[in-house]
Amino acid sequence: MLGYVEAVRDMVKPERNEQYLRYIRDNTIRIHRMIEELSFLSHLETGQISYRMEKVRVARFLRDFHGQYELVVRDAGLDFVLDCGEEAPGGHAPVVEMDVQRLEQALFNLVSNAMKFTASGGSIRLTLRIEEVRGTRYAVVGVEDTGIGIPPDQLERIFERNYRYDRPGSENGPTGNGLGLAICREIVIASGGTIRAESDGVMGASFMISLPCVQAV
């Protein structure tokens, strides 16, 4: 790689050296990250990743997550709102079994994805609500943005490996490697949950992680 960098440096005008070197550095980092994510996703899909499951109060987990990443989101010119709803008294706050590190990774992927497609001045909302389906309570964690939306006909495919969806108006905007959402799905499924996305394709997208509640700790 060093020889390649030196060759490029010798070929271009001196005033363009810094620009070309920055381009090479950024692409090297991007490729390295993609290789790491491909390896991690392959291990997830083949069950080679271990999970340290524990009972966790979801609202507390989300408050910690929000506090950890609030400055990162705000530095991007976006509001980062936390809405955990009204917590019921008497220990009835939702509790789920999760690997805190893995779920934080999945949630961070969703927030990072929202940041890519939400212009400065927009907002990202982190929410928590409870749903009951056939007698089972679920904690539903949402990541909602005010970005440019996802075409409805692509909502079923965005969690596929290497599937890169083209959001309207993003031709010259940020792109990904199509692995982040696939990683999210694998982590959530391994945690006994589900993940889905909603968007009208015009403005904003919402991602919902549903995890079955367990007895309070």
Side-chain angles (χ1 to χ4, degrees):
M1 176 60 71
L2 182 58
Y4 176 64
V5 172
E6 291 175 342
V8 172
R9 182 182 60 197
D10 293 339
M11 291 170 58
V12 301
K13 298 178 181 180
E15 61 269 20
R16 301 295 295 275
N17 278 343
E18 184 176 348
Q19 178 182 349
Y20 276 91
L21 290 175
R22 187 184 304 115
Y23 172 82
I24 294 169
R25 181 200 62 196
D26 291 346
N27 277 277
T28 300
I29 293 172
R30 179 180 58 82
I31 292 170
H32 180 69
R33 183 181 297 121
M34 183 177 66
I35 292 171
E36 286 186 334
E37 290 186 339
L38 272 171
S39 176
F40 182 68
L41 179 57
S42 295
H43 282 79
L44 282 172
E45 292 173 336
T46 54
Q48 298 180 58
I49 299 295
S50 60
Y51 288 79
R52 183 179 178 181
M53 306 299 286
E54 57 183 304
K55 292 181 179 180
V56 176
R57 293 186 183 274
V58 187
R60 182 181 303 167
F61 166 76
L62 292 180
R63 283 196 297 269
D64 290 344
F65 179 90
H66 181 267
Q68 184 174 355
Y69 294 105
E70 183 177 14
L71 288 180
V72 176
V73 178
R74 292 191 181 278
D75 282 348
L78 304 171
D79 285 334
F80 194 26
V81 180
L82 175 63
D83 181 6
C84 288
E86 295 295 329
E87 293 188 51
H92 297 296
V95 175
V96 305
E97 282 194 328
M98 68 164 73
D99 181 314
V100 172
Q101 181 180 354
R102 299 301 179 202
L103 259 296
E104 181 179 317
Q105 180 180 4
L107 199 57
F108 178 72
N109 279 357
L110 294 180
V111 171
S112 297
N113 194 65
M115 291 171 64
K116 290 178 183 178
F117 296 100
T118 305
S120 179
S123 66
I124 297 173
R125 178 179 291 272
L126 188 61
T127 66
L128 172 63
R129 69 176 188 273
I130 302 300
E131 291 183 352
E132 186 166 333
V133 180
R134 292 188 290 274
T136 300
R137 295 172 73 240
Y138 291 86
V140 183
V141 177
V143 176
E144 307 169 359
D145 65 58
T146 58
I148 54 181
I150 304 171
D153 61 353
Q154 297 190 44
L155 290 173
E156 294 297 324
R157 300 192 60 192
I158 58 176
F159 296 102
E160 296 176 8
R161 173 199 276 252
N162 296 324
Y163 185 75
R164 289 168 48 170
Y165 53 96
D166 298 319
R167 293 198 185 187
S170 65
E171 290 80 2
N172 298 317
T175 59
N177 53 32
L179 299 175
L181 292 180
I183 288 174
C184 286
R185 180 186 63 180
E186 293 298 324
I187 290 175
V188 171
I189 290 175
S191 303
T194 60
I195 185 170
R196 68 185 189 276
E198 295 179 356
S199 178
D200 61 6
V202 178
M203 179 178 177
S206 300
F207 289 82
M208 282 75 68
I209 296 174
S210 297
L211 297 169
C213 294
V214 297
Q215 196 171 34
V217 292

